[in-house]
Amino acid sequence: MMLDRRRLLTSALTLGAMHAFPGLSLAQARPLVFATFTGSWEEAHKAVLVPAFRKANADAAIVLDPMLSVDQIAKVNAAKANPPIDVMLHDPGPALVAIGQDLVDPFPADKSAYYKDLIPEAQDAMGPAPFFQVVGLTYNPETVKTPPTSWADLWKPEFKGKVGITNLNSTLGTGWLVEIARMRGGSEANVDEGFKALEELKPNLAAVAANPGALATLFQQGQIDISPGNFNAIQILKARGVPVEFVAPKEGAIAFKTTIHIVKNSPNKELAFKLIEAALSPEVQTTLMNSPYLIVPTNTKVAMTGEIAKVLAKDTEELKKKFVFQDWKKINEQRASWIEKFNRDIKI
C-alpha cells in the first residue's frame, strides 16, 4: 500500500513523540492535526499561522490536513471517540452542523488573551471566527474587457463556454446559488429559481469545480474567464501574475465568517487552544491581511488597510453595511437536498 507524504510525516512525528515520552498512548502522542481548507487557505496557514504557532509553543508538532468542511465533519463523525483531527475550520453552515452533532468543545474564552478583542460577531462560545470571507465576481481582465457588474452577467452570450462555478459542497457554491435565487425572487428558504437559472447557464459553463481551490486553478490554466469567487483566493493568483480581478456585484457580495473549533475528545486540546490563540492574535491577522493573502481580519486591534480597505471595506462596520450576510440556519434545513439535486442535474 502506498502512503502519501502527509501520512508518512504524521507517522514519523508520532513515533518521535512516543520515543520522547514513552508513557504516551498512540492517540496522545500524535501531532496536532489542523484541518484547514484547500488552496489559498492551506498556503496562508502553512506560511503564516503554523510558523507563528510553532514559534510560541516550542516548535510543537503540527500537521495541516486540507479538506472541505463536509469532509472534516465526516472524518470526525467516523471516529468520535478518537478523532483524527484536533482543530476544524468551518464556514457558517458546516459550523452549525458540527455543533449540532456535538463534534466540538466550547472554546475556553476565559483563558484567551485575544477573544475579548474580537468584533462581537466573531465571538462565538463554540468556536471564535478569526477571519471573514467575501465572495464576488472574478474575471480575467485580458479576455473580459468590460468588467462585470452583476451576477446576471454570467448569463451573457459572450461568455458561452467560459464560465466556471463550484458544486454545492462548498460555501461558495451554496451561497452563490442562494443569491442567484434571490435575484429572481427566491431566498434561503426557496432556491427553485436558482436551479432554473443554473439550467439556463449550462451553455455558458466551461467547468464545475470540486472546490474553490480547484476553481482558482481553472483560472490559472486559462480554462475559464469568469466565475463567482473568493476574494482572498483570487489575490494569491494575482500575486503569481495570473490575470484575474475581483469585483463586488451590484446585488452585494456575500460575506461570512469562518470559525475555528476544538474537536471533542481531541487528545491535544491544549495545543488546539494555542493554535486558535495564534489565529486570533493581531500579529497573525495583520500578516494574513497583507498581500498576497488578503484575508479579512476580525480582531479590533487590526485596522483594515491596503487592498482590503480599497476594494472591500475600510472597517467591519462598513463591511456589515455593504455586504450580504446569509441565514445559514435556514440554508442548512434544505442544503443536503440541494446538493443531491445539483449533483444529479448540473453536468456539462
Side-chain angles (χ1 to χ4, degrees):
M1 181 177 68
M2 294 183 65
L3 293 175
D4 61 32
R5 184 172 177 272
R6 184 179 300 115
R7 290 179 186 281
L8 286 170
L9 177 60
T10 301
S11 299
L13 290 169
T14 299
L15 291 173
M18 291 183 72
H19 179 73
F21 305 99
L24 294 178
S25 68
L26 180 63
Q28 291 169 324
R30 68 165 172 74
L32 182 74
V33 178
F34 172 31
T36 182
F37 300 148
T38 58
S40 60
W41 288 92
E42 180 185 7
E43 292 184 38
H45 288 156
K46 184 184 294 182
V48 180
L49 177 56
V50 169
F53 164 76
R54 284 181 168 146
K55 182 179 179 181
N57 294 285
D59 206 26
I62 179 172
V63 173
L64 279 177
D65 198 1
M67 68 186 89
L68 289 170
S69 283
V70 292
D71 298 325
Q72 296 178 33
I73 291 171
K75 287 186 76 169
V76 173
N77 249 325
K80 288 184 179 178
N82 186 20
I85 296 169
D86 301 297
V87 179
M88 291 196 286
L89 192 68
H90 288 311
D91 294 337
L96 290 172
V97 173
I99 294 167
Q101 296 182 356
D102 196 27
L103 301 182
V104 301
D105 276 339
F107 180 72
D110 56 333
K111 290 174 51 181
S112 172
Y114 307 114
Y115 187 85
K116 66 182 187 308
D117 294 332
L118 302 180
I119 61 171
E121 290 80 1
Q123 295 184 13
D124 189 319
M126 296 305 293
F131 318 108
F132 269 120
Q133 292 191 61
V134 178
V135 173
L137 284 160
T138 54
Y139 66 99
N140 181 340
E142 292 183 354
T143 55
V144 179
K145 298 303 181 185
T146 303
T149 60
S150 166
W151 297 124
D153 288 347
L154 297 172
W155 280 259
K156 286 184 173 179
E158 60 259 40
F159 296 135
K160 184 176 182 179
K162 298 179 178 178
V163 174
I165 62 174
T166 66
N167 64 31
L168 301 195
N169 285 335
S170 67
T171 299
L172 166 59
T174 299
W176 179 68
L177 172 66
V178 170
E179 289 314 297
I180 62 172
R182 199 191 311 277
M183 190 172 62
R184 297 186 177 203
S187 68
E188 286 93 337
N190 178 10
V191 297
D192 290 348
E193 289 300 322
F195 274 107
K196 290 178 184 175
L198 283 176
E199 284 294 331
E200 297 169 15
L201 186 63
K202 282 182 176 178
N204 282 13
L205 286 181
V208 178
N211 54 59
L215 188 70
T217 300
L218 293 173
F219 268 109
Q220 196 166 11
Q221 295 171 342
Q223 295 187 42
I224 59 174
D225 287 340
I226 187 168
S227 78
N230 282 325
F231 175 75
N232 63 303
I234 292 308
Q235 305 313 314
I236 288 184
L237 289 184
K238 286 181 69 174
R240 292 175 182 157
V242 177
V244 63
E245 293 290 346
F246 175 96
V247 64
K250 66 181 182 182
E251 295 85 2
I254 307 163
F256 53 89
K257 62 183 182 181
T258 298
T259 50
I260 189 165
H261 306 268
I262 299 173
V263 175
K264 198 178 189 71
N265 297 324
S266 160
N268 289 315
K269 288 187 180 182
E270 187 58 26
L271 284 177
F273 167 75
K274 290 179 177 177
L275 176 69
I276 295 174
E277 279 289 271
L280 303 182
S281 70
E283 293 79 11
V284 165
Q285 292 204 8
T286 297
T287 305
L288 289 176
M289 181 184 64
N290 293 325
S291 180
Y293 307 113
L294 299 183
I295 293 173
V296 182
T298 59
N299 190 315
T300 57
K301 303 289 186 185
V302 181
M304 290 189 189
T305 58
E307 194 72 5
I308 285 180
K310 177 182 174 185
V311 177
L312 297 182
K314 65 179 185 301
D315 54 35
T316 51
E317 290 306 312
E318 186 180 15
L319 184 78
K320 286 187 283 189
K321 290 178 183 175
K322 289 175 59 178
F323 295 94
V324 175
F325 290 83
Q326 299 172 325
D327 183 349
W328 279 90
K329 185 176 180 181
K330 180 64 70 177
I331 290 171
N332 276 1
E333 292 174 2
Q334 301 184 72
R335 189 181 183 190
S337 64
W338 298 348
I339 292 173
E340 183 180 355
K341 179 176 174 57
F342 182 95
N343 292 342
R344 183 183 65 240
D345 297 346
I346 309 302
K347 296 173 181 171
I348 58 174

